[in-house]
Structures are given as C-alpha cells and as structure tokens.
Amino acid sequence: MQFMLLFSRQGKLRLQKWYVPLSDKEKKKITRELVQTVLARKPKMCSFLEWRDLKIVYKRYASLYFCCAIEDQDNELITLEIIHRYVELLDKYFGSVCELDIIFNFEKAYFILDEFLLGGEVQETSKKNVLKAIEQADLLQEFSSVAQSCPTLCDPMNRSTPGLPVHHQLLEFTQTHVHRVGDAIQPPHPVVPFSSCPQSLGLRKRLFLGWRKVECACILRKRANAESNEKQE
Amino acid sequence: MPAVSKGDGMRGLAVFISDIRNCKSKEAEIKRINKELANIRSKFKGDRALDGYSKKKYVCKLLFIFLLGHDIDFGHMEAVNLLSSNRYTEKQIGYLFISVLVNSNSELIRLINNAIKNDLASRNPTFMGLALHCIANVGSREMAEAFAGEIPRILVAGDTMDSVKQSAALCLLRLYRTSPDLVPMGDWTSRVVHLLNDQHLGVVTAATSLITTLAQKNPEEFKTSVSLAVSRLSRIVTSASTDLQDYTYYFVPAPWLSVKLLRLLQCYPPPEDPAVRGRLTECLEAILNKAQEPPKSKKVQHSNAKNAVLFEAISLVIHHDSEPNLLVRACNQLGQFLQHRETNLRYLALESMCTLASSEFSHEAVKTHIETVINALKTERDVSVRQRAVDLLYAMCDRSNAQQIVAEMLSYLETADYSIREEIVLKVAILAEKYAVDYTWYVDTILNLIRIAGDYVSEEVWYRVIQIVINRDDVQGYAAKTVFEALQASACHENLVKVGGYILGEFGNLIAGDPRSSPLTQFHLLHSKFHLCSVPTRALLLSTYIKFVNLFPEVKGTIQDVLRSDSQLKNADVELQQRAVEYLRLSTVASTDILATVLEEMPPFPERESSILAKLKKKKGPSTVTDLEEAKRERSADVNGGPEPAPASTSAVSTPSPSADLLGLGAAPPAPAGPPPSSGGLLVDVFSDSPSAAAPLAPGSEDNFARFVCKNNGVLFENQLLQIGLKSEFRQNLGRMFIFYGNKTSTQFLNFTPTLICSDDLQANLSLQTKPVDPAVDGGAQVQQAVNIECVSDFTEAPVLNIQFRYGGTFQNVSVKLPITLNKFFQPTEMASQDFFQRWKQLSNPQQEVQSIFKAKHPMDTEVTKAKIIGFGSALLEEVDPNPANFVGAGIIHTRTAQIGCLLRLEPNLQAQMYRLTLRTSRETVSQRLCELLSEQF
C-alpha cells in the first residue's frame, strides 16, 4: 500500500498515512485530487478505480471516506477488508467510533493504525492482539498520568457521564437515525458546543453499526420510552 | 463499550481542537492558529524549562496544526527531546511527530537515530516497537544506513518477542524498498524463510510480506520459501473455520496470510518437486471448490475475504499458465462473477479475465463470455466498469470475432465517456488493422471512427490509414471512392478532409472515370472544405492540388487560378504562401514529363511497428499492455507491419534553399537533413513547436543564480556559443545592471533578441527598463545591454532572461534566471549591542521571525562567512552577540514604498556541521525571502 487517507464528506482530511516518500507539496496535490475524485462518485459505483498508475480502493463509513492507494499487483478485495478491519479496531477501541472521536483523538487513530499496518503491509490481523498492544500502552499512560499534577480525565468525547450510560447510548442512536442535531445531545463538556457548528451534522454518526449495537440500542430505546411513559403516568 | 477516555487526555489540546472547529471562516482559523503558534513558540523559548507533559501537549498541538495543512517550522527539537523521555506517553507523541514531519527537517536525523538506537537497545518490547515503527514510517536513507545491519539481527534473534519480530520484519521491508543496496543479504535470510513455519500467525504474515519483496529481487536466495509457503497455505486452506481463532475473519481462515502466500508463490515458476506441486494444485482446487459452496455468512466481509483469496489464487493459476484444467475452471468462475450483483466483483472479474485471455489454454473459454461483456459495456452504470469491459473486449479479440467486437466498440463510442474515448479510438484502430481480412472493411471502420469521434482520432490513426492504403494496391480504388462519398457530407471532420485530400491526391484518378466523381468534381469538393480548415490541412490540400495538376491536365487552369488568387499568393501564413508560389511556378514551367516524375505516386512505406500501438502502450504504461500485446502479436500474423508517419514527401518538389531553412525554423538545434516541404506529419511537427516559446531554464542556472546573491559581477551563463556576463550596482531602491552578450563563435548571430520575463506578481513589485540590442551579433563580438532597476516593493521571484537567436541554420533559445534579489537593496546599518537587542525584542511577533536550520554545504570558515554576510548587503556587527562564534547583522531594505529594517543572526554549530539562521524584520515576506536567500549561501 502506498498511502491511506481518511476524509469527511465535506472533503476535510482527517488522517493521512504515507508509506512512500513524497514531498509535502506532492502529498497535498494528491490529496486534493483524490478527495475530489472519490467524492464525485456515486454510492452504487464500485469501490475501485484506476488513478495514475495506482489502484484506489475506497469505502465510506457514515460521514467518513477511507481511501487506500495500492499497486498494480496488490489485491483490491483484501484491501477493502483492511479498511474494514481498521474501522472495527477503531470501533472497538473508542466504542461506537464516530468521526469526532478521530478528530479529537487523532493521535490514537495513528497509534492504532501503526499497530495494524506497518510500512504499508499488514502487521497483525488479529483484532485481539492489536487491541492488546494498544491497551498495554494505555495502561502505561494511565500509570504515568496519575503521577502527573494535571490529570485531565475530562475528555470532550467522553459522553459517558457517570450515572447516565443509558442516556448516552440512546442519544447516539437517535442521532444516527433521525439526523436531528438536537440540543439534547449537547455533550457534558461545555467548551465543545458541537451543535453550534453546522459541519457537525453527521459527525457523531457511528462509522460502523454492528448488529449487536443496533439491537442493543433498540432495547435501550424501548426501555427509555417505557421509563418516560411511566413518568408521564 | 461507551467512549471512554483512554490513557490521559490532554485538555489543552482538546480545547484547542474545539476552538478550531468553531472557527467560522478560514481567516478566523488562521488567526487562532497563529495565536497558538506564537504561544507555543514563546513557551519553547521561555526561560522556564517545560515539564514533559507540557512539551508533549505543545508538540501534539503542532502536529494537529500540521495535519490541518499548515506549515510547521519549529518544534522538531522539542519532539526529539521527547524521544528520550522515560514516560511512554511522551516518547510515543515524540515518535509520532517525527514520523509525520521528519521529511521536511531531516537535519535532526542524527539526534533521532540516537534516540532510536537507545530504544532498540533497551530490551523493552514496547519501546523497541515504537522505535521500529518510527524507522518503518520514515524509512529514509540515513535510517537505512544506521539500522539496516541491526534489524535483521533483532528479527532472527531467538529471544525477540513476537510483536517485535513482526515490526522488525516490516521495518526491514520498508528499508529494503527505499535503499536495497544498504540491506545486506546474509545467513539471516535462511532463518527468515523459516519464520514461515512460526507458530504465531502474525509473525508469519509479516514475514511473508518481507520474503515476497526480497524474493522478487533475489529469487535464488529465497527458493526454499516455495515449499514452506505451500505447506503453510495447505494447512490454512484445510483448516476448519474455528481452528485459527482470532485469525479467522468472518469465517474465512487467515485471508490476509493466504493472499500473501499466494502472492509469494507468484515470484516463482510452478514448483518442480512433484509432491509440492501436487499439494499446491490441491490447495488451488480447494479454493476454487470453496467458491461454489454456499456462503457461511451473508456479510459482505465474508464474501470479500473469501473472494480475495480466490482472485489471488486465480492470479497464481494464470501466472503458472501450465494447468489447462485450472485455467478453464478459473475462467468459468470469473464468468459467474461477470453477472454478480456486486459491482466490485464484476469489475474484478473483467479485470482478471483480461489476463486469462492471453493464455492459449483459456483464450477460447474467455471468448464464450463475449455476449455478457458486450452487455456490460451497454448496461454498466459505472464508467470504471465499462472501461474494464472495453479492455476485456480488446484482449479477447481475434480474427473470429473482430468484426463483432469492432462494431460493438464503434457503437459504444457514440455514447462513451469523454475520458475514455481516445483510448477506445486507438483500440478500434489497432483491432481493425490487425484482424482485417478485407481491407475495405478496414477503410470503412476508420472512416466511421473519424465520423463518430473525429476529435479523439489522433494523428497516428489517420497517418496509419494512409500508410496502409498506400501499401496495398487492392484497396486504393475503394478507399478513393469511399472518402469521396464521405466528403459529400455537409459537415465533416477535419481529419476526414486530411485523409480525403491525401488519398484523392494519390488515387483520385482511379475513380475519375465515373462522371459523378470527375476530376473537376473532386477538386471542387475538396476546395469547398478548404476555407474551414486549419493551416496544416490547407497546406496538405495545396499539395493535393498540385498532384491533381499532374493526374488531370484538364483541371490545370482551374487550379492555377486558385493558386494565383490573392488569398493564396499573398496569404499571411508564410508556409501557405510559399507553397502557392512554388506550386504555381512548378505547374507553369515544368513539362508533363517532369511533373509526372516529381509528383509520382508515393512509394510504399517501410514496415515498422504500428505507431498507434506505441501510443496505446504509452498511454497505459508499459507494464500493462506490453505482455499482452506481445503475446497476441505472436499468435496473429502481423498483417501490415507499420511504418511510422515518416516525413517522406508527397511530392519531391525541388525546393529552393530558403524553404529548407523555413522548415528548419521550428525544429531546434539539429535541423532535419534536407526535408522537402510536404504534407502530413512534418508540417504539423514544425508548426506545433513554435519558436516564440521560451526555453526551459538552462541547466545549472540555479547554482549560478545562488552565486550572485552575495556578489554583483561575474559570468552568469556560458555554453559553446554564448557567454553572458553581468556587472551591476545598487543604491537604495535603485539599481543598474549591464548584461554582456559574447558571441564565442566565428559566425554571426541573427535575430538576436534578449527578453526579460517577469510574472505579474513580480512586475508589480520590481520595475525593469531596458533597450533592445542590435539583432546581429558578429562572430567574436560582445554587445551590452543596460537594465534600469527599481524595487517598488519587496519581492520573492527573480526575472527570467530569455535569449533567442539564429546561429547558422538553427534556432537557439536560452533562458536563465537574472540574479536581481531582494537583498540587493540592502543598506548596512551599524549599531551598538544595546540598540541591537532592543530592536530585536521589538520584532518579537512570531510572523516577523523566520528561522532555518540547515546543514553546511561549504567548509565552515569564519572569514568566508563574514565576507558573505557583508556581500549579502547587511552590516556585520562585532561584539554584539555574547557568543563570539555567532554572526550578527543589521540593515535596511529600501523599496519605493517602504523601508524595512532587518536583523539577522547566524549560529554555526561546528560539531554538527549545521547552521541556525534567524531573521527578524518588520515584514513577514521579507524575513522569509531573506532567510531563503541567505541560507543557500553557506
């Protein structure tokens, strides 16, 4: 693989990984060209295209496009599944990953990618092993962060305010399917008024819906409805 | 699992990111970023040492800013410091920053390598992992030099952890890709091959990638990997879907590893050992069998992973090209995919079948799918899939189906996407020629091609049809009749006029017997198109007319009248005018015999490779077409061989010498040896290469340019013909430059025209005035030209001096950058230490400072450096910097609109052979430009 790009539907680059040496100028040019090309394609079109002397493999997850450039003899379908495995890894790590997770924790997205792909080749395909490596690193981090005078546990992406886990999941679900940027989803962190930002529509959409999660969200919604009915009564 | 904050977040970073996201405009974003940059810069420069956490946070912010697409020119040192932190989290951010940004600041590579070395030696697997990731991400030559010897040792050491082995394998792979010469083969290679037997599938996966790449270049060294790969593959293929635990992906056992093993096997011919070969065949059969089994899951991931392995297996079967049974099975399997509902599979099936079509065993099997492929061409909604269908039709075409395929392609061409039309045109032209049994069909096809997609018919295509008609007697009459009929259309493409003009000029006599196409009718028909055509086509038609004079004496008068008309004889275009004059004269003075000799029918073209084929290869890149083409060429007798559109003449018109000169005009230095004026290719070539275009910059021009930054006089350019010298002086915002042009030959230069070229930007900021020089420069003489210069405002680019002249018969074109640089308008300012530092502090705004760290290109001699700073134009201030090794300078840049104070400081580091240059001026662009100019000097 020569490079991997993640960009949003608005064409904003969220992650770039280059496995061949290129100048910054060339990288910007390639990015611009590819983002344009891929965004112009219609949903039903095939996931592969020829571009210069490379093959582009891309797939869209919610509001994000994952786009890989591979060489002539590389396998397109397995590249498509590299993308999927990476999304699974992100999803498992962040828990229902959405674009915002990748924006605010971009460094984590890079770390996970490095454990999975190295030098443009798959390093470790086992989801367990990759996550184990990352979690070990996180343990090391937590250990050192306790020692620090400035514990910053208040991550703006942390919507799991203690005591309200049900609420969190439910809202996420509503957001995913109704496309309503409700004021109710204002995150607990005050400095990040997502709703005031028009671009945020769809940003919190989960990239990846495992059936378990859908099912889970359905149950939670029913439960929440039941609760509110009780209250009304 | 809800989104939990993993590890320690960085609150400041999160606040900054959300600030950026809340910016309503690009300007607001830039403002916020500049504020942050200023803050970080002051933090990094502050007296108080930063703790690791803050350093990490700021480095991370810089990284975020860079990833937003802004340039980052500091912080590298701080990131490098983080590498040697004992805290994992700080080290990790340091490495990330280096991996992303190091290309632009490779001066620090030595420090980085040191940190990596320490981590590799630490025996701590997590730290080793980070260090290896960094090497794999950067992969520079310096890193290869430092680590290419060490990594193989880590890779094969018995006590290395599995995860480190994986990283080491891929790290080595990356280094091998960038600098293969630095990775020594040794006894480690045999141990790497044995990693294919490793218990840990992750290690096998990484090792297979490495071995595949190494085996491509050193097949002998890695030959033993074949049998190991086959047995590994066989174990995977026969395993139950649960055997491999987490390496099973959506019920497919180890798909990534399987694909990689199959890829490795494609580096080698079929195994010689019958046992290994039998086992491999079993594997491939098993993979093909699995494709027929009902899917274990409805998920697309399941089918993708399964088919990824299948396609790779088919690639291997095609690569071996030795098992007819497997080839046919593969073809049938792909045939099923051609009608699959997944667009991706249809695309890949078309692509894969293209290579199958070139195998003699499966060619016939591929052909049975022709209807499906034609249907795909008509119904696929995605242009990239249709493109694949066109490729496949092209690949499966042979004498038996050529007529059908060409007809389908032609009809598709009417609605085809513009992006692929030219390629289809080329393909149709090639197929029509290659499989033409009957040349009337060929002529019809090409004329249709011009009618349908005239704009996409390149010159090669119409040259080719003319070559073929001229080389084959049996088709000439038909061709003349057909073009005559085609020209009757009220609107016809210019390419058709070219073909028609040429063919009627040669073979119009073959149809002249028919009263409907009498000589006069032919002439009037062609001449009715004349005024709508471009100059090259008109020139061609004039040649046709003179040929008519020879073929049909009865129309001589009419043609002479046309040639004699003012619109020809006094045509503004010199080529047309000349042809009219010459042809008119020829038709009046020459006897019939002479005319018949001079205007004889064209001789057959020599047989050469088709130029269209060459063009298609060029378009598609050599790797994709060549093999296929060659394979096909061997199978089908090359009917015609293909002459190129050689600049052979229609009419061997005896040409007076000025005309030869005229044609030589466009063709730079070596004028083609005695080319008579002719129709077709030559003309087009001559005129496309217009002499007014400025030449690209002369080689070495940049170096010469840099030499003039610190001096005003010297030789700017020299070649065998011409020397350009400069003498210049500058005062405040004004300057005067004398340019000396020396003719080093003994021949006179004619039409000698030097021109100063400034971009619009530059023109606004720099005013240049000059007088033209005498257009003739005698041999051995020197002429001078004065240029008056005024700096209106600060500028970055440099004007280009373009010189055009004629030397002997050839046209010369030279461009050099003229060294008028911003620092020429420097006035040195002396000041005391106290003043200097006061001003230095006043210019502390981050935009006002520009810094550059760079490697010394010349020996670091103090006196030379001093001379260069003075030559640069600023004052050299002694005893200002507390460190006597540093250099400090001050001056004022004068422009018409403003005076800009500049302070500079140069800190040499003898040990590292590096410099750090800092410029502070009141204007960002000035700081930037001066820093660029000066940093090139040391």
Side-chain angles (χ1 to χ4, degrees):
Chain A
M1 188 185 296
Q2 297 221 340
F3 55 84
M4 185 188 224
L5 303 174
L6 261 69
F7 50 87
S8 69
R9 231 168 11 160
Q10 290 81 23
K12 288 221 178 225
L13 193 59
R14 296 301 182 204
L15 184 140
Q16 44 176 321
K17 191 80 193 178
W18 304 85
Y19 298 111
V20 283
L22 290 169
S23 68
D24 286 347
K25 206 173 141 198
E26 182 69 5
K27 285 179 188 170
K28 279 186 185 165
K29 193 172 155 231
I30 291 175
T31 310
R32 223 176 15 242
E33 215 177 301
L34 268 184
V35 167
Q36 252 177 12
T37 314
V38 170
L39 288 181
R41 291 178 61 87
K42 297 191 187 77
K44 285 278 174 187
M45 286 185 164
C46 81
S47 312
F48 320 122
L49 54 128
E50 282 187 329
W51 180 81
R52 299 194 186 174
D53 52 350
L54 298 174
K55 300 194 281 198
I56 302 297
V57 177
Y58 71 93
K59 186 158 180 182
R60 181 176 158 182
Y61 288 86
S63 56
L64 266 191
Y65 283 86
F66 290 69
C67 176
C68 297
I70 55 174
E71 279 151 68
D72 190 49
Q73 70 277 14
D74 290 337
N75 189 308
E76 290 99 336
L77 283 174
I78 208 73
T79 310
L80 210 49
E81 294 318 299
I82 286 180
I83 294 177
H84 187 76
R85 182 42 45 118
Y86 181 49
V87 175
E88 282 185 351
L89 287 167
L90 291 171
D91 194 66
K92 190 100 182 187
Y93 180 79
F94 288 108
S96 310
V97 65
C98 64
E99 193 182 338
L100 279 179
D101 289 318
I102 296 173
I103 297 172
F104 278 92
N105 302 292
F106 67 96
E107 78 282 9
K108 291 281 166 17
Y110 278 96
F111 296 149
I112 296 173
L113 187 58
D114 270 353
E115 290 293 338
F116 176 46
L117 289 180
L118 194 61
E121 300 285 339
V122 178
Q123 173 172 219
E124 178 53 86
T125 64
S126 154
K127 200 154 60 174
K128 266 189 213 144
N129 289 355
V130 173
L131 289 171
K132 207 165 69 193
I134 293 287
E135 266 153 25
Q136 265 172 0
D138 278 338
L139 273 179
L140 283 171
Q141 292 196 1
E142 257 154 36
F143 176 72
S144 51
S145 75
V146 171
Q148 274 165 17
S149 55
C150 178
T152 50
L153 296 168
C154 206
D155 185 331
M157 287 320 301
N158 179 0
R159 277 159 274 126
S160 64
T161 316
L164 288 168
V166 172
H167 197 194
H168 157 74
Q169 278 286 354
L170 173 67
L171 288 172
E172 176 116 57
F173 186 76
T174 331
Q175 172 67 9
T176 309
H177 290 265
V178 185
H179 284 282
R180 180 156 41 86
V181 190
D183 293 329
I185 58 153
Q186 188 78 19
H189 199 289
V191 295
V192 193
F194 294 135
S195 56
S196 68
C197 175
Q199 290 169 2
S200 68
L201 186 80
L203 277 172
R204 317 183 79 222
K205 219 167 163 184
R206 292 208 300 255
L207 298 187
F208 176 66
L209 280 174
W211 65 272
R212 245 179 253 277
K213 281 180 200 132
V214 177
E215 198 175 58
C216 185
C218 284
I219 295 169
L220 290 169
R221 183 172 55 177
K222 275 181 208 151
R223 214 182 281 165
N225 284 341
E227 273 171 27
S228 65
N229 286 344
E230 272 170 32
K231 271 181 205 157
Q232 277 173 10
E233 280 163 19
Chain B
M1 183 165 52
V4 200
S5 163
K6 297 274 189 169
D8 65 337
M10 285 171 274
R11 187 185 152 86
L13 176 66
V15 172
F16 175 57
I17 296 176
S18 56
D19 274 6
I20 294 287
R21 293 181 40 70
N22 285 334
C23 286
K24 294 277 187 291
S25 64
K26 195 80 198 158
E27 290 72 38
E29 186 184 306
I30 289 171
K31 214 173 139 199
R32 178 69 184 88
I33 284 171
N34 283 335
K35 190 179 142 202
E36 194 63 41
L37 285 175
N39 171 41
I40 298 174
R41 219 185 284 258
S42 71
K43 283 286 188 324
F44 282 169
K45 289 221 175 116
D47 310 326
R48 225 158 46 86
L50 289 177
D51 60 6
Y53 169 76
S54 319
K55 218 181 271 176
K56 177 184 82 169
K57 184 177 73 184
Y58 292 129
V59 166
C60 213
K61 278 184 183 177
L62 285 180
L63 186 58
F64 181 76
I65 293 172
F66 177 79
L67 291 171
L68 279 181
H70 302 268
D71 292 335
I72 293 295
D73 53 6
F74 68 102
H76 300 78
M77 207 52 220
E78 284 73 13
V80 173
N81 285 340
L82 285 178
L83 297 186
S84 45
S85 165
N86 282 326
R87 288 222 171 92
Y88 177 76
T89 147
E90 288 161 19
K91 203 186 263 294
Q92 197 184 22
I93 295 288
Y95 272 124
L96 180 61
F97 185 92
I98 300 297
S99 312
V100 175
L101 265 123
V102 86
N103 289 339
S104 47
N105 241 33
S106 52
E107 298 91 8
L108 294 169
I109 209 91
R110 223 164 295 178
L111 292 169
I112 298 167
N113 280 356
N114 239 340
I116 292 177
K117 210 165 273 171
N118 289 337
D119 281 334
L120 284 184
S122 71
R123 317 298 298 159
N124 173 339
T126 336
F127 286 4
M128 287 173 87
L130 280 182
L132 289 169
H133 289 181
C134 181
I135 303 174
N137 281 327
V138 178
S140 65
R141 203 164 165 83
E142 289 87 347
M143 284 200 173
E145 276 164 7
F147 303 110
E150 171 71 11
I151 294 169
R153 271 200 291 281
I154 297 176
L155 177 58
V156 298
D159 57 346
T160 307
M161 298 248 310
D162 287 336
S163 64
V164 176
K165 267 188 205 164
Q166 286 166 278
S167 301
L170 295 178
C171 189
L172 192 58
L173 165 60
R174 173 71 198 264
L175 293 184
Y176 185 78
R177 277 192 187 143
T178 30
S179 331
D181 53 314
L182 293 178
V183 178
M185 295 295 132
D187 49 357
W188 60 271
T189 52
S190 60
R191 302 178 65 179
V192 166
V193 171
H194 280 277
L195 288 179
L196 289 176
N197 266 336
D198 203 280
Q199 292 202 319
H200 190 285
L201 280 189
V203 173
V204 186
T205 310
T208 312
S209 293
L210 174 64
I211 295 168
T212 306
T213 308
L214 294 174
Q216 278 163 353
K217 294 252 175 70
N218 320 281
E220 270 306 307
E221 191 111 10
F222 292 89
K223 223 174 163 182
T224 45
S225 63
V226 173
S227 61
L228 290 177
V230 170
S231 69
R232 183 49 105 170
L233 182 67
S234 143
R235 267 180 282 162
I236 295 172
V237 171
T238 52
S239 65
S241 57
T242 49
D243 288 356
L244 303 177
Q245 293 164 349
D246 212 31
Y247 289 92
T248 297
Y249 179 83
Y250 291 86
F251 305 102
V252 182
W256 283 280
L257 180 53
S258 310
V259 166
K260 285 188 177 199
L261 290 168
L262 288 162
R263 182 85 199 86
L264 169 59
L265 292 170
Q266 287 172 61
C267 300
Y268 291 94
E272 280 159 22
D273 180 346
V276 178
R277 188 167 179 159
R279 206 161 175 202
L280 178 57
T281 309
E282 274 169 30
C283 282
L284 295 170
E285 274 171 350
I287 294 171
L288 283 165
N289 288 342
K290 276 190 188 172
Q292 296 300 324
E293 288 170 11
K296 293 199 178 76
S297 155
K298 285 211 171 83
K299 292 245 179 202
V300 69
Q301 284 77 27
H302 171 70
S303 73
N304 278 351
K306 193 165 119 179
N307 292 328
V309 178
L310 176 63
F311 274 106
E312 206 60 56
I314 292 177
S315 295
L316 181 61
V317 170
I318 297 172
H319 169 79
H320 284 169
D321 198 14
S322 59
E323 299 264 0
N325 172 34
L326 285 177
L327 280 163
V328 170
R329 279 193 67 185
C331 185
N332 293 340
Q333 183 60 51
L334 293 177
Q336 285 180 19
F337 285 152
L338 283 182
Q339 310 199 46
H340 202 278
R341 63 190 161 78
E342 280 268 335
T343 316
N344 287 345
L345 284 182
R346 294 198 302 274
Y347 177 95
L348 294 174
L350 288 167
E351 188 184 60
S352 206
M353 248 192 199
C354 257
T355 38
L356 263 185
S358 60
S359 161
E360 56 174 318
F361 299 115
S362 49
H363 184 78
E364 287 304 314
V366 171
K367 272 168 62 186
T368 58
H369 298 287
I370 186 165
E371 295 302 331
T372 321
V373 182
I374 288 172
N375 198 35
L377 195 60
K378 289 177 179 157
T379 56
E380 282 291 349
R381 273 182 295 176
D382 185 347
V383 54
S384 20
V385 185
R386 290 197 297 270
Q387 164 92 61
R388 290 285 84 82
V390 172
D391 288 350
L392 179 54
L393 283 179
Y394 178 72
M396 67 162 71
C397 191
D398 61 17
R399 211 171 288 275
S400 71
N401 56 18
Q403 301 236 356
Q404 184 188 10
I405 286 178
V406 166
E408 290 295 346
M409 281 184 162
L410 270 177
S411 82
Y412 172 60
L413 194 55
E414 309 226 23
T415 53
D417 310 73
Y418 297 112
S419 56
I420 58 174
R421 279 193 186 186
E422 192 187 349
E423 201 185 310
I424 298 177
V425 166
L426 291 174
K427 286 185 165 153
V428 169
I430 292 170
L431 293 179
E433 177 190 335
K434 188 180 272 175
Y435 299 116
V437 185
D438 165 6
Y439 276 85
T440 59
W441 173 70
Y442 170 75
V443 170
D444 286 342
T445 304
I446 300 295
L447 291 182
N448 256 333
L449 208 53
I450 294 174
R451 182 181 55 78
I452 295 167
D455 287 342
Y456 298 88
V457 172
S458 56
E459 285 170 352
E460 285 85 349
V461 174
W462 76 260
Y463 291 161
R464 190 74 188 144
V465 68
I466 285 172
Q467 288 163 13
I468 288 177
V469 169
I470 285 177
N471 286 13
R472 300 195 65 94
D473 308 344
D474 51 338
V475 77
Q476 288 161 353
Y478 179 80
K481 180 164 162 283
T482 320
V483 290
F484 179 78
E485 278 162 11
L487 282 169
Q488 312 263 339
S490 54
C492 52
H493 197 273
E494 195 169 329
N495 279 336
L496 181 65
V497 180
K498 289 178 186 165
V499 176
Y502 201 112
I503 289 182
L504 291 181
E506 295 291 327
F507 311 112
N509 55 330
L510 299 178
I511 56 168
D514 188 329
R516 284 166 299 176
S517 52
S518 70
L520 201 60
T521 326
Q522 286 186 36
F523 171 72
H524 282 308
L525 182 60
L526 282 177
H527 199 56
S528 69
K529 317 281 181 194
F530 187 91
H531 303 279
L532 301 169
C533 293
S534 63
V535 170
T537 311
R538 288 191 201 185
L540 185 150
L541 286 178
L542 287 179
S543 297
T544 304
Y545 298 168
I546 190 69
K547 290 215 145 197
F548 275 2
V549 170
N550 175 44
L551 290 179
F552 318 117
E554 65 266 38
V555 296
K556 184 171 169 182
T558 321
I559 287 174
Q560 280 177 332
D561 286 346
V562 169
L563 292 176
R564 204 177 287 124
S565 70
D566 278 358
S567 61
Q568 307 301 347
L569 270 191
K570 294 187 180 168
N571 196 298
D573 186 274
V574 70
E575 173 70 20
L576 292 182
Q577 192 188 59
Q578 180 153 4
R579 284 193 185 212
V581 173
E582 287 174 7
Y583 292 162
L584 183 61
R585 193 81 193 124
L586 182 67
S587 69
T588 37
V589 298
S591 68
T592 338
D593 284 352
I594 294 176
L595 266 185
T597 318
V598 170
L599 300 171
E600 200 184 359
E601 194 179 295
M602 285 288 290
F605 285 86
E607 307 248 321
R608 259 184 251 158
E609 188 198 9
S610 163
S611 52
I612 313 178
L613 208 55
K615 176 150 179 152
L616 185 67
K617 277 184 196 169
K618 207 166 107 196
K619 233 176 116 60
K620 295 286 276 185
S623 55
T624 45
V625 186
T626 327
D627 300 349
L628 207 70
E629 277 319 319
E630 263 145 30
K632 295 192 80 171
R633 224 201 338 269
E634 282 163 21
R635 241 181 298 126
S636 65
D638 199 351
V639 197
N640 246 282
E644 271 176 7
S649 56
T650 8
S651 43
V653 176
S654 57
T655 325
S657 59
S659 153
D661 254 352
L662 183 82
L663 280 168
L665 188 72
S678 70
S679 59
L682 183 61
L683 257 182
V684 182
D685 284 346
V686 169
F687 284 88
S688 61
D689 183 338
S690 139
S692 62
L697 285 180
S701 151
E702 285 294 334
D703 289 354
N704 269 348
F705 179 80
R707 282 200 288 116
F708 276 89
V709 169
C710 292
K711 64 173 192 173
N712 288 334
N713 306 326
V715 174
L716 177 65
F717 172 84
E718 183 154 11
N719 67 9
Q720 288 173 333
L721 307 178
L722 176 73
Q723 184 193 55
I724 305 173
L726 290 185
K727 240 181 194 175
S728 46
E729 51 188 9
F730 295 87
R731 183 159 303 155
Q732 301 204 322
N733 69 323
L734 301 177
R736 174 183 277 250
M737 178 180 272
F738 291 95
I739 311 177
F740 299 89
Y741 304 99
N743 181 345
K744 291 170 67 182
T745 70
S746 50
T747 318
Q748 196 183 41
F749 291 165
L750 292 171
N751 300 341
F752 189 84
T753 27
T755 328
L756 288 171
I757 304 166
C758 294
S759 67
D760 292 348
D761 259 4
L762 185 58
Q763 223 155 24
N765 297 328
L766 185 71
S767 126
L768 298 176
Q769 282 175 337
T770 181
K771 289 204 182 95
V773 297
D774 189 347
V777 183
D778 287 332
Q782 191 179 56
V783 291
Q784 77 172 49
Q785 185 180 30
V787 185
N788 288 323
I789 307 159
E790 185 184 7
C791 175
V792 180
S793 181
D794 65 279
F795 60 96
T796 30
E797 293 164 85
V800 170
L801 174 65
N802 173 250
I803 301 135
Q804 305 187 352
F805 60 96
R806 298 183 45 71
Y807 163 70
T810 61
F811 170 78
Q812 302 286 334
N813 192 347
V814 173
S815 284
V816 284
K817 254 164 117 180
L818 203 58
I820 302 175
T821 48
L822 184 56
N823 65 298
K824 300 289 180 199
F825 306 96
F826 239 135
Q827 287 287 107
T829 323
E830 294 291 341
M831 58 177 83
S833 172
Q834 207 182 350
D835 291 344
F836 182 87
F837 281 108
Q838 195 187 346
R839 282 172 209 223
W840 185 265
K841 273 187 202 135
Q842 280 167 358
L843 296 170
S844 59
N845 196 323
Q847 287 94 339
Q848 295 172 333
E849 183 189 288
V850 172
Q851 195 170 69
S852 160
I853 300 173
F854 50 91
K855 242 192 184 113
K857 283 190 275 255
H858 306 287
M860 296 173 81
D861 181 313
T862 312
E863 290 312 310
V864 175
T865 308
K866 280 183 182 169
K868 278 184 179 164
I869 291 177
I870 293 168
F872 191 64
S874 77
L876 183 71
L877 305 181
E878 307 275 2
E879 287 166 19
V880 167
D881 202 299
N883 179 350
N886 292 348
F887 305 91
V888 166
I892 295 168
I893 295 278
H894 289 263
T895 71
R896 189 204 290 165
T897 48
Q899 299 192 350
I900 302 140
C902 308
L903 303 176
L904 67 90
R905 185 180 191 209
L906 180 72
E907 300 159 87
N909 179 344
L910 282 170
Q911 228 167 5
Q913 289 287 305
M914 309 258 280
Y915 285 103
R916 179 160 74 180
L917 175 65
T918 314
L919 266 145
R920 286 193 177 185
T921 78
S922 48
R923 200 174 287 182
E924 190 183 355
T925 46
V926 174
S927 305
Q928 199 82 46
R929 180 59 180 158
L930 290 179
C931 186
E932 274 168 31
L933 285 169
L934 190 56
S935 58
E936 287 298 309
Q937 296 301 315
F938 300 106

